[in-house]
Amino acid sequence: MAPKKDKAPSTYLSNQLDYLNARDALKNYQSTYTSAKLAFENTPISSKNYSEVVANFQAANTKIDSLQKAFNDATDAATKRYNEEKTKKSESKTAKKTSDIQEQLNAAIANRDQRYTAYNLPVPASVQDQITKLQNQLNETKATGPTGPTGPTGVTGGTGVTGGTGPTAPVESALTEDRVTFVQKYIGNVEKTKELQQALKDAGVYKGPIDGIFRSPVIKKALDDAEGKIVDYESDGITFPNRIEALKRLASDFKTGGGPTGTGVGGPTATISNLTQADAYINAAFKTELSRDATAAELVKYRKILNDAEKKNPSRTVNGITTGGINRDQFLKTEIAKLPEFATKKADKTAITSQSILGTAKANGVTLNQSQIDSFAKRVQDGTDIKIIDKEIRGIAALGMPDKVVKLLDQGIDLDTIYSPYKNLMASILELNPDSIDLKDPTLRSAIGPDKEMPIYDFEKTLRKDYRWQYTDNAKRDVSNVALKVLRDFGFQA
């Protein structure tokens, strides 16, 4: 198995029971598999045990594959556990430190607001210094801790009590800024969290209190709802410099009667995918249909196509039953099927399927015309498993063959494999390329009769009677040896 980039150390793996059991099972079965393989490769079809040898090899091959997969899975699972434990330890330590600082910061801010700000009294320098110091410590935990929202409070650094959101330079989308980066401006700052809560409430997507406490699940849902509405604007070419400006526009809509429920309870409601959701749908469809991710330009193009379709096909809920809307996966697949690349991929897949069918036919001495090949390939495109097609081809090859051969063909063994011991001998005696020997060759076919297979020794004698043998170096040497013996017998050669 190829080495992994992120592999657990051997000391860790040596203590993982699932990994050790899978490794030992694979190692212990290796000799059994090797023996079965050698027996298959060295047993001629004329042997009375040939069918049993083939069955043993097939079973061994299946089991070795299963054991190898189990070993790979156990290694992956152990490596994943190792990385998770390693990350968890690091995150736990950082989260504990962050939580402690956050708790102290919240208490310091509450003390300042309740004792001084609420009464319009000047805040003592010592109080403000304590807050600033705690905020700096909070920022340090972000710089030294693991990336991403891993702590229990979600804190990854703040911007300071007195920092403002301020206008930012216009960007292509109000959602271009990463969500985590955006919320970092508000976490750990009571006043700024209140600003965010109020903006979301004004936009009609938040119903919680304006208390400066960053409740991650509630605010996350509100931001998701807001982003769905912002994407609706952007799909029509209306952009905003940042999320806050976009929320102001949503607040204006809400105030003038748009509201969070649109046209009213039970009315048609268009659910618009936000940027992240749309990209996920688009990439999934591209991977299924074209085996690749969408490009940046394609994401922009298909976001608009998807959002337009969602707006044109709203859903309606009556008595708890929802109708309408679109199947996003199928819709995008239909759109992608219009691309020239899709037609090329489909043609390539058809060609590969046809080549596979031809390969099976050749391996069983069956000649197919183009109409038959196209018919088989179309069935595969329509969902038929190609293994069923292969079995049908072997069924054609089985016509007129003895029961023993028919049974082997039915087990999935090609006629070329069944005849391989005779074919290899024929290539050696007649000095031919094995690949040049057709399965319809009458000499080769004579090796297996309706009642029994010809012993290898008898088949070798048959080959020496074949007209092609006289042109081989083997024949010439035999003639020279006979002539030399005659000369020696008559005393003309020492």
Side-chain angles (χ1 to χ4, degrees), residues 1 4-9 12-13 16 18-19 72-86:
M1 185 180 66
K4 295 180 179 295
K5 292 181 179 179
D6 297 324
K7 187 174 181 180
Y12 180 86
L13 293 175
Q16 304 305 303
D18 56 341
Y19 167 83
N72 292 345
D73 291 345
T75 304
D76 290 342
T79 300
K80 182 179 179 181
R81 289 197 301 272
Y82 171 77
N83 290 331
E84 287 176 347
E85 290 176 15
K86 184 178 177 182

PDB file of all heavy atoms in Angstrom, residues 1 4-9 12-13 16 18-19 72-86:
ATOM      1  N   MET A   1       0.843  -1.189   0.000  1.00  0.00           N
ATOM      2  CA  MET A   1       0.000   0.000   0.000  1.00  0.00           C
ATOM      3  C   MET A   1       0.885   1.250   0.000  1.00  0.00           C
ATOM      4  O   MET A   1       1.888   1.321   0.697  1.00  0.00           O
ATOM      5  CB  MET A   1      -0.882   0.019   1.239  1.00  0.00           C
ATOM      6  CG  MET A   1      -1.882   1.164   1.248  1.00  0.00           C
ATOM      7  SD  MET A   1      -2.906   1.138   2.745  1.00  0.00           S
ATOM      8  CE  MET A   1      -1.670   1.469   3.996  1.00  0.00           C
ATOM      9  N   LYS A   4       1.000   7.132   3.107  1.00  0.00           N
ATOM     10  CA  LYS A   4       0.088   8.267   3.193  1.00  0.00           C
ATOM     11  C   LYS A   4       0.861   9.496   3.664  1.00  0.00           C
ATOM     12  O   LYS A   4       1.837   9.395   4.386  1.00  0.00           O
ATOM     13  CB  LYS A   4      -1.055   7.968   4.170  1.00  0.00           C
ATOM     14  CG  LYS A   4      -1.947   6.832   3.707  1.00  0.00           C
ATOM     15  CD  LYS A   4      -3.058   6.589   4.722  1.00  0.00           C
ATOM     16  CE  LYS A   4      -3.948   5.461   4.227  1.00  0.00           C
ATOM     17  NZ  LYS A   4      -4.639   5.836   2.990  1.00  0.00           N
ATOM     18  N   LYS A   5       0.377  10.667   3.213  1.00  0.00           N
ATOM     19  CA  LYS A   5       1.030  11.910   3.614  1.00  0.00           C
ATOM     20  C   LYS A   5       0.846  12.160   5.104  1.00  0.00           C
ATOM     21  O   LYS A   5       1.732  12.624   5.779  1.00  0.00           O
ATOM     22  CB  LYS A   5       0.455  13.069   2.795  1.00  0.00           C
ATOM     23  CG  LYS A   5       0.815  12.999   1.312  1.00  0.00           C
ATOM     24  CD  LYS A   5       0.253  14.189   0.550  1.00  0.00           C
ATOM     25  CE  LYS A   5       0.631  14.120  -0.910  1.00  0.00           C
ATOM     26  NZ  LYS A   5       0.091  15.252  -1.690  1.00  0.00           N
ATOM     27  N   ASP A   6      -0.357  11.901   5.593  1.00  0.00           N
ATOM     28  CA  ASP A   6      -0.656  12.132   7.012  1.00  0.00           C
ATOM     29  C   ASP A   6      -0.832  10.784   7.694  1.00  0.00           C
ATOM     30  O   ASP A   6      -1.950  10.354   7.955  1.00  0.00           O
ATOM     31  CB  ASP A   6      -1.920  12.982   7.158  1.00  0.00           C
ATOM     32  CG  ASP A   6      -1.745  14.363   6.550  1.00  0.00           C
ATOM     33  OD1 ASP A   6      -0.639  14.887   6.662  1.00  0.00           O
ATOM     34  OD2 ASP A   6      -2.708  14.881   5.985  1.00  0.00           O
ATOM     35  N   LYS A   7       0.249  10.108   7.952  1.00  0.00           N
ATOM     36  CA  LYS A   7       0.162   8.770   8.524  1.00  0.00           C
ATOM     37  C   LYS A   7       0.506   8.805  10.008  1.00  0.00           C
ATOM     38  O   LYS A   7       1.410   9.510  10.437  1.00  0.00           O
ATOM     39  CB  LYS A   7       1.124   7.839   7.784  1.00  0.00           C
ATOM     40  CG  LYS A   7       0.975   6.386   8.195  1.00  0.00           C
ATOM     41  CD  LYS A   7       1.844   5.508   7.335  1.00  0.00           C
ATOM     42  CE  LYS A   7       1.674   4.043   7.716  1.00  0.00           C
ATOM     43  NZ  LYS A   7       2.511   3.161   6.904  1.00  0.00           N
ATOM     44  N   ALA A   8      -0.261   8.043  10.771  1.00  0.00           N
ATOM     45  CA  ALA A   8       0.015   7.980  12.199  1.00  0.00           C
ATOM     46  C   ALA A   8       1.368   7.301  12.432  1.00  0.00           C
ATOM     47  O   ALA A   8       1.760   6.421  11.672  1.00  0.00           O
ATOM     48  CB  ALA A   8      -1.093   7.200  12.901  1.00  0.00           C
ATOM     49  N   PRO A   9       2.101   7.695  13.487  1.00  0.00           N
ATOM     50  CA  PRO A   9       3.401   7.065  13.758  1.00  0.00           C
ATOM     51  C   PRO A   9       3.234   5.601  14.136  1.00  0.00           C
ATOM     52  O   PRO A   9       2.199   5.174  14.639  1.00  0.00           O
ATOM     53  CB  PRO A   9       3.949   7.899  14.925  1.00  0.00           C
ATOM     54  CG  PRO A   9       2.736   8.499  15.575  1.00  0.00           C
ATOM     55  CD  PRO A   9       1.779   8.750  14.455  1.00  0.00           C
ATOM     56  N   TYR A  12       2.004   4.643  17.559  1.00  0.00           N
ATOM     57  CA  TYR A  12       0.557   4.750  17.783  1.00  0.00           C
ATOM     58  C   TYR A  12      -0.160   3.554  17.160  1.00  0.00           C
ATOM     59  O   TYR A  12      -1.026   2.930  17.770  1.00  0.00           O
ATOM     60  CB  TYR A  12       0.030   6.053  17.180  1.00  0.00           C
ATOM     61  CG  TYR A  12      -1.461   6.253  17.367  1.00  0.00           C
ATOM     62  CD1 TYR A  12      -1.972   6.826  18.523  1.00  0.00           C
ATOM     63  CD2 TYR A  12      -2.358   5.840  16.379  1.00  0.00           C
ATOM     64  CE1 TYR A  12      -3.335   6.998  18.702  1.00  0.00           C
ATOM     65  CE2 TYR A  12      -3.732   6.009  16.553  1.00  0.00           C
ATOM     66  CZ  TYR A  12      -4.211   6.593  17.710  1.00  0.00           C
ATOM     67  OH  TYR A  12      -5.568   6.748  17.881  1.00  0.00           O
ATOM     68  N   LEU A  13       0.210   3.213  15.908  1.00  0.00           N
ATOM     69  CA  LEU A  13      -0.439   2.112  15.207  1.00  0.00           C
ATOM     70  C   LEU A  13      -0.235   0.786  15.937  1.00  0.00           C
ATOM     71  O   LEU A  13      -1.116  -0.075  15.923  1.00  0.00           O
ATOM     72  CB  LEU A  13       0.107   2.000  13.781  1.00  0.00           C
ATOM     73  CG  LEU A  13      -0.238   3.152  12.839  1.00  0.00           C
ATOM     74  CD1 LEU A  13       0.458   2.964  11.500  1.00  0.00           C
ATOM     75  CD2 LEU A  13      -1.744   3.262  12.640  1.00  0.00           C
ATOM     76  N   GLN A  16      -3.073  -0.035  18.200  1.00  0.00           N
ATOM     77  CA  GLN A  16      -4.435  -0.025  17.666  1.00  0.00           C
ATOM     78  C   GLN A  16      -4.827  -1.433  17.241  1.00  0.00           C
ATOM     79  O   GLN A  16      -4.298  -1.982  16.270  1.00  0.00           O
ATOM     80  CB  GLN A  16      -4.529   0.952  16.482  1.00  0.00           C
ATOM     81  CG  GLN A  16      -4.094   2.365  16.821  1.00  0.00           C
ATOM     82  CD  GLN A  16      -4.855   2.924  18.003  1.00  0.00           C
ATOM     83  OE1 GLN A  16      -6.080   2.994  17.995  1.00  0.00           O
ATOM     84  NE2 GLN A  16      -4.115   3.333  19.036  1.00  0.00           N
ATOM     85  N   ASP A  18      -7.528  -2.792  15.876  1.00  0.00           N
ATOM     86  CA  ASP A  18      -8.125  -3.020  14.562  1.00  0.00           C
ATOM     87  C   ASP A  18      -7.064  -3.030  13.464  1.00  0.00           C
ATOM     88  O   ASP A  18      -7.103  -3.842  12.541  1.00  0.00           O
ATOM     89  CB  ASP A  18      -9.196  -1.971  14.254  1.00  0.00           C
ATOM     90  CG  ASP A  18      -8.657  -0.546  14.351  1.00  0.00           C
ATOM     91  OD1 ASP A  18      -7.596  -0.343  14.988  1.00  0.00           O
ATOM     92  OD2 ASP A  18      -9.307   0.365  13.804  1.00  0.00           O
ATOM     93  N   TYR A  19      -6.072  -2.130  13.587  1.00  0.00           N
ATOM     94  CA  TYR A  19      -4.982  -2.073  12.610  1.00  0.00           C
ATOM     95  C   TYR A  19      -4.140  -3.342  12.665  1.00  0.00           C
ATOM     96  O   TYR A  19      -3.820  -3.949  11.637  1.00  0.00           O
ATOM     97  CB  TYR A  19      -4.115  -0.847  12.887  1.00  0.00           C
ATOM     98  CG  TYR A  19      -2.799  -0.850  12.144  1.00  0.00           C
ATOM     99  CD1 TYR A  19      -2.709  -0.418  10.830  1.00  0.00           C
ATOM    100  CD2 TYR A  19      -1.623  -1.305  12.764  1.00  0.00           C
ATOM    101  CE1 TYR A  19      -1.505  -0.433  10.140  1.00  0.00           C
ATOM    102  CE2 TYR A  19      -0.414  -1.316  12.089  1.00  0.00           C
ATOM    103  CZ  TYR A  19      -0.361  -0.883  10.779  1.00  0.00           C
ATOM    104  OH  TYR A  19       0.827  -0.912  10.105  1.00  0.00           O
ATOM    105  N   ASN A  72      -6.446  -1.391   4.529  1.00  0.00           N
ATOM    106  CA  ASN A  72      -6.421   0.026   4.153  1.00  0.00           C
ATOM    107  C   ASN A  72      -7.392   0.831   5.016  1.00  0.00           C
ATOM    108  O   ASN A  72      -7.072   1.920   5.500  1.00  0.00           O
ATOM    109  CB  ASN A  72      -6.792   0.198   2.677  1.00  0.00           C
ATOM    110  CG  ASN A  72      -5.729  -0.372   1.755  1.00  0.00           C
ATOM    111  OD1 ASN A  72      -4.619  -0.642   2.179  1.00  0.00           O
ATOM    112  ND2 ASN A  72      -6.083  -0.561   0.502  1.00  0.00           N
ATOM    113  N   ASP A  73      -8.605   0.285   5.209  1.00  0.00           N
ATOM    114  CA  ASP A  73      -9.611   0.983   6.012  1.00  0.00           C
ATOM    115  C   ASP A  73      -9.161   1.129   7.465  1.00  0.00           C
ATOM    116  O   ASP A  73      -9.369   2.170   8.094  1.00  0.00           O
ATOM    117  CB  ASP A  73     -10.946   0.224   5.960  1.00  0.00           C
ATOM    118  CG  ASP A  73     -11.593   0.304   4.584  1.00  0.00           C
ATOM    119  OD1 ASP A  73     -11.171   1.151   3.783  1.00  0.00           O
ATOM    120  OD2 ASP A  73     -12.512  -0.498   4.317  1.00  0.00           O
ATOM    121  N   ALA A  74      -8.559   0.058   8.007  1.00  0.00           N
ATOM    122  CA  ALA A  74      -8.095   0.109   9.394  1.00  0.00           C
ATOM    123  C   ALA A  74      -6.972   1.132   9.561  1.00  0.00           C
ATOM    124  O   ALA A  74      -6.917   1.859  10.560  1.00  0.00           O
ATOM    125  CB  ALA A  74      -7.613  -1.277   9.838  1.00  0.00           C
ATOM    126  N   THR A  75      -6.079   1.197   8.571  1.00  0.00           N
ATOM    127  CA  THR A  75      -4.992   2.178   8.613  1.00  0.00           C
ATOM    128  C   THR A  75      -5.545   3.597   8.555  1.00  0.00           C
ATOM    129  O   THR A  75      -5.117   4.477   9.311  1.00  0.00           O
ATOM    130  CB  THR A  75      -4.022   1.953   7.438  1.00  0.00           C
ATOM    131  OG1 THR A  75      -3.528   0.611   7.473  1.00  0.00           O
ATOM    132  CG2 THR A  75      -2.842   2.915   7.515  1.00  0.00           C
ATOM    133  N   ASP A  76      -6.507   3.801   7.644  1.00  0.00           N
ATOM    134  CA  ASP A  76      -7.120   5.135   7.527  1.00  0.00           C
ATOM    135  C   ASP A  76      -7.836   5.525   8.817  1.00  0.00           C
ATOM    136  O   ASP A  76      -7.743   6.667   9.277  1.00  0.00           O
ATOM    137  CB  ASP A  76      -8.120   5.155   6.358  1.00  0.00           C
ATOM    138  CG  ASP A  76      -7.426   5.065   4.999  1.00  0.00           C
ATOM    139  OD1 ASP A  76      -6.214   5.333   4.962  1.00  0.00           O
ATOM    140  OD2 ASP A  76      -8.092   4.740   4.010  1.00  0.00           O
ATOM    141  N   ALA A  77      -8.575   4.560   9.395  1.00  0.00           N
ATOM    142  CA  ALA A  77      -9.319   4.842  10.615  1.00  0.00           C
ATOM    143  C   ALA A  77      -8.376   5.182  11.772  1.00  0.00           C
ATOM    144  O   ALA A  77      -8.622   6.110  12.548  1.00  0.00           O
ATOM    145  CB  ALA A  77     -10.196   3.647  10.982  1.00  0.00           C
ATOM    146  N   ALA A  78      -7.290   4.413  11.883  1.00  0.00           N
ATOM    147  CA  ALA A  78      -6.329   4.662  12.967  1.00  0.00           C
ATOM    148  C   ALA A  78      -5.643   6.017  12.782  1.00  0.00           C
ATOM    149  O   ALA A  78      -5.436   6.764  13.744  1.00  0.00           O
ATOM    150  CB  ALA A  78      -5.288   3.539  12.997  1.00  0.00           C
ATOM    151  N   THR A  79      -5.311   6.331  11.528  1.00  0.00           N
ATOM    152  CA  THR A  79      -4.680   7.619  11.235  1.00  0.00           C
ATOM    153  C   THR A  79      -5.626   8.769  11.557  1.00  0.00           C
ATOM    154  O   THR A  79      -5.225   9.797  12.127  1.00  0.00           O
ATOM    155  CB  THR A  79      -4.272   7.689   9.752  1.00  0.00           C
ATOM    156  OG1 THR A  79      -3.343   6.638   9.473  1.00  0.00           O
ATOM    157  CG2 THR A  79      -3.620   9.021   9.429  1.00  0.00           C
ATOM    158  N   LYS A  80      -6.904   8.588  11.212  1.00  0.00           N
ATOM    159  CA  LYS A  80      -7.900   9.618  11.509  1.00  0.00           C
ATOM    160  C   LYS A  80      -8.038   9.829  13.016  1.00  0.00           C
ATOM    161  O   LYS A  80      -8.099  10.955  13.501  1.00  0.00           O
ATOM    162  CB  LYS A  80      -9.248   9.217  10.898  1.00  0.00           C
ATOM    163  CG  LYS A  80     -10.332  10.257  11.108  1.00  0.00           C
ATOM    164  CD  LYS A  80     -11.636   9.815  10.467  1.00  0.00           C
ATOM    165  CE  LYS A  80     -12.728  10.859  10.696  1.00  0.00           C
ATOM    166  NZ  LYS A  80     -14.017  10.436  10.108  1.00  0.00           N
ATOM    167  N   ARG A  81      -8.069   8.701  13.772  1.00  0.00           N
ATOM    168  CA  ARG A  81      -8.174   8.820  15.231  1.00  0.00           C
ATOM    169  C   ARG A  81      -6.963   9.558  15.804  1.00  0.00           C
ATOM    170  O   ARG A  81      -7.094  10.391  16.705  1.00  0.00           O
ATOM    171  CB  ARG A  81      -8.285   7.427  15.869  1.00  0.00           C
ATOM    172  CG  ARG A  81      -9.610   6.739  15.627  1.00  0.00           C
ATOM    173  CD  ARG A  81      -9.790   5.579  16.608  1.00  0.00           C
ATOM    174  NE  ARG A  81      -8.753   4.585  16.500  1.00  0.00           N
ATOM    175  CZ  ARG A  81      -8.789   3.553  15.662  1.00  0.00           C
ATOM    176  NH1 ARG A  81      -9.814   3.408  14.840  1.00  0.00           N
ATOM    177  NH2 ARG A  81      -7.811   2.667  15.633  1.00  0.00           N
ATOM    178  N   TYR A  82      -5.786   9.209  15.282  1.00  0.00           N
ATOM    179  CA  TYR A  82      -4.557   9.849  15.756  1.00  0.00           C
ATOM    180  C   TYR A  82      -4.614  11.368  15.537  1.00  0.00           C
ATOM    181  O   TYR A  82      -4.332  12.153  16.450  1.00  0.00           O
ATOM    182  CB  TYR A  82      -3.354   9.263  15.029  1.00  0.00           C
ATOM    183  CG  TYR A  82      -2.064  10.000  15.289  1.00  0.00           C
ATOM    184  CD1 TYR A  82      -1.364   9.820  16.483  1.00  0.00           C
ATOM    185  CD2 TYR A  82      -1.550  10.886  14.343  1.00  0.00           C
ATOM    186  CE1 TYR A  82      -0.180  10.517  16.723  1.00  0.00           C
ATOM    187  CE2 TYR A  82      -0.380  11.579  14.577  1.00  0.00           C
ATOM    188  CZ  TYR A  82       0.305  11.388  15.772  1.00  0.00           C
ATOM    189  OH  TYR A  82       1.464  12.071  16.006  1.00  0.00           O
ATOM    190  N   ASN A  83      -5.012  11.762  14.311  1.00  0.00           N
ATOM    191  CA  ASN A  83      -5.071  13.186  13.996  1.00  0.00           C
ATOM    192  C   ASN A  83      -6.142  13.893  14.821  1.00  0.00           C
ATOM    193  O   ASN A  83      -5.956  15.038  15.255  1.00  0.00           O
ATOM    194  CB  ASN A  83      -5.346  13.379  12.498  1.00  0.00           C
ATOM    195  CG  ASN A  83      -4.168  12.973  11.643  1.00  0.00           C
ATOM    196  OD1 ASN A  83      -3.022  13.063  12.080  1.00  0.00           O
ATOM    197  ND2 ASN A  83      -4.416  12.517  10.432  1.00  0.00           N
ATOM    198  N   GLU A  84      -7.288  13.209  15.023  1.00  0.00           N
ATOM    199  CA  GLU A  84      -8.362  13.810  15.819  1.00  0.00           C
ATOM    200  C   GLU A  84      -7.934  14.001  17.272  1.00  0.00           C
ATOM    201  O   GLU A  84      -8.223  15.028  17.896  1.00  0.00           O
ATOM    202  CB  GLU A  84      -9.620  12.942  15.743  1.00  0.00           C
ATOM    203  CG  GLU A  84     -10.321  13.016  14.396  1.00  0.00           C
ATOM    204  CD  GLU A  84     -11.511  12.074  14.316  1.00  0.00           C
ATOM    205  OE1 GLU A  84     -11.621  11.196  15.212  1.00  0.00           O
ATOM    206  OE2 GLU A  84     -12.301  12.198  13.374  1.00  0.00           O
ATOM    207  N   GLU A  85      -7.272  12.978  17.826  1.00  0.00           N
ATOM    208  CA  GLU A  85      -6.809  13.075  19.215  1.00  0.00           C
ATOM    209  C   GLU A  85      -5.765  14.183  19.365  1.00  0.00           C
ATOM    210  O   GLU A  85      -5.769  14.939  20.349  1.00  0.00           O
ATOM    211  CB  GLU A  85      -6.223  11.734  19.659  1.00  0.00           C
ATOM    212  CG  GLU A  85      -7.278  10.637  19.827  1.00  0.00           C
ATOM    213  CD  GLU A  85      -6.657   9.296  20.176  1.00  0.00           C
ATOM    214  OE1 GLU A  85      -5.467   9.277  20.564  1.00  0.00           O
ATOM    215  OE2 GLU A  85      -7.339   8.264  20.043  1.00  0.00           O
ATOM    216  N   LYS A  86      -4.902  14.246  18.353  1.00  0.00           N
ATOM    217  CA  LYS A  86      -3.853  15.267  18.387  1.00  0.00           C
ATOM    218  C   LYS A  86      -4.468  16.673  18.321  1.00  0.00           C
ATOM    219  O   LYS A  86      -4.088  17.574  19.085  1.00  0.00           O
ATOM    220  CB  LYS A  86      -2.905  15.052  17.210  1.00  0.00           C
ATOM    221  CG  LYS A  86      -1.713  15.992  17.173  1.00  0.00           C
ATOM    222  CD  LYS A  86      -0.815  15.646  15.989  1.00  0.00           C
ATOM    223  CE  LYS A  86       0.357  16.617  15.897  1.00  0.00           C
ATOM    224  NZ  LYS A  86       1.209  16.314  14.713  1.00  0.00           N
TER     225      LYS A  86
END
